[in-house]
Amino acid sequence: MVRAVIYTDFDGVLNAFPDDKVLRRGGVGHTQWLKEGDPRKELYDSERAFPLTGNEQVRTGHGRFRVHWSRELAGMMHDLALSGSVELNWLTTWQPYCSRVLDPMLGWDPGIERTVVWYDPVTNERRWTGKLAEIMSRVRFERRQQEPLPIVWIDDEECCFSAKMQIESLEPAAPVLMVRPDERIGISRRQWQLICDFIDDSSGFLPVSLDEESTVRDHAAHVGL
């Protein structure tokens, strides 16, 4: 029985963007060379982040891209979808390449993990507004159901306070959990546990919750976002 609906981005969520120097020296779990007090030491600790065991170069119509992801995390997400516990949906600008590039790479099944068509990849229509519109459309849909499903939305950029306010204005019939990872590590272990807790029982959550990894704001300010 489906207990929740998940919408997930790819870049910054599953595909992480670690600090180049950290990556060259082993990545997550290899922080002994960092000085005490360096915030990267805690960020890339294996107790906080999933090791990025997947490393491939993928080709799209826009070129070649190096992808780093956690096979453990991708496997757990797929297992949830495979068991029927969740409806797992891609909500990413990789939309044209999910079923033929991302799914085979991650070990996902396009027959199980659905790709949301939320923007026009030729004209880019709705690319800047389509993600939030998709989530709000699903919230409205669930309001019409006798047994509305809770929703998890995972995005390292668009899960923000202003989006939370707009979703709250719809007065969701079931809780909505917005998760904003730090793009350098993707979904953290803490955030994954929060997602699992929400799926198991969302009744103790607010109508709309926003969870930001604690390092997100400092990093965003550093890179000028």
Side-chain angles (χ1 to χ4, degrees):
M1 176 181 176
V2 175
R3 300 198 300 267
V5 181
I6 297 177
Y7 290 89
T8 184
D9 190 14
F10 181 58
D11 287 337
V13 172
L14 279 162
N15 179 28
F17 301 98
D19 177 278
D20 286 343
K21 193 171 183 179
V22 172
L23 193 59
R24 290 196 303 270
R25 297 198 176 192
V28 172
H30 300 273
T31 59
Q32 62 277 3
W33 59 276
L34 290 166
K35 295 179 180 179
E36 292 300 326
D38 189 321
R40 293 175 298 176
K41 198 173 187 70
E42 180 181 354
L43 177 67
Y44 294 107
D45 191 290
S46 57
E47 291 188 4
R48 180 175 194 160
F50 289 96
L52 303 176
T53 51
N55 178 4
E56 288 192 22
Q57 188 180 79
V58 298
R59 291 185 178 185
T60 72
H62 298 283
R64 299 181 182 183
F65 301 91
R66 178 64 60 181
V67 173
H68 298 93
W69 78 97
S70 164
R71 296 184 188 277
E72 178 186 2
L73 176 60
M76 289 190 294
M77 294 179 75
H78 178 62
D79 286 345
L80 279 178
L82 189 62
S83 71
S85 298
V86 302
E87 175 193 312
L88 182 53
N89 303 283
W90 280 120
L91 188 59
T92 170
T93 52
W94 284 74
Q95 171 192 300
Y97 310 105
C98 289
S99 62
R100 59 189 176 90
V101 176
L102 299 189
D103 286 342
M105 181 183 70
L106 298 177
W108 289 14
D109 183 343
I112 297 173
E113 283 85 10
R114 186 172 70 96
T115 301
V116 178
V117 179
W118 59 278
Y119 79 101
D120 187 322
V122 177
T123 65
N124 279 330
E125 183 181 0
R126 298 183 76 242
R127 182 163 179 161
W128 311 117
T129 59
K131 284 186 178 182
L132 177 58
E134 184 67 29
I135 298 300
M136 294 180 73
S137 176
R138 185 58 184 256
V139 170
R140 294 188 187 98
F141 172 81
E142 294 300 337
R143 285 191 62 182
R144 299 193 296 270
Q145 308 310 305
Q146 289 188 344
E147 296 183 7
L149 293 173
I151 298 169
V152 181
W153 181 21
I154 315 168
D155 196 291
D156 66 308
E157 294 180 336
E158 299 208 28
C159 284
C160 60
F161 183 72
S162 62
K164 176 178 181 288
M165 295 288 285
Q166 292 186 64
I167 296 171
E168 282 179 331
S169 72
L170 299 179
E171 299 182 352
V176 177
L177 173 62
M178 303 168 64
V179 177
R180 186 181 184 187
D182 187 314
E183 65 169 10
R184 295 171 292 178
I185 60 171
I187 300 171
S188 68
R189 292 188 183 276
R190 179 194 62 79
Q191 288 180 321
W192 177 246
Q193 185 58 58
L194 177 67
I195 291 167
C196 290
D197 291 344
F198 181 85
I199 293 167
D200 286 341
D201 184 5
S202 63
S203 62
F205 285 76
L206 296 172
V208 184
S209 304
L210 171 61
D211 182 89
E212 289 185 329
E213 190 63 18
S214 61
T215 53
V216 164
R217 290 184 180 275
D218 287 343
H219 179 59
H222 176 71
V223 297
L225 296 179

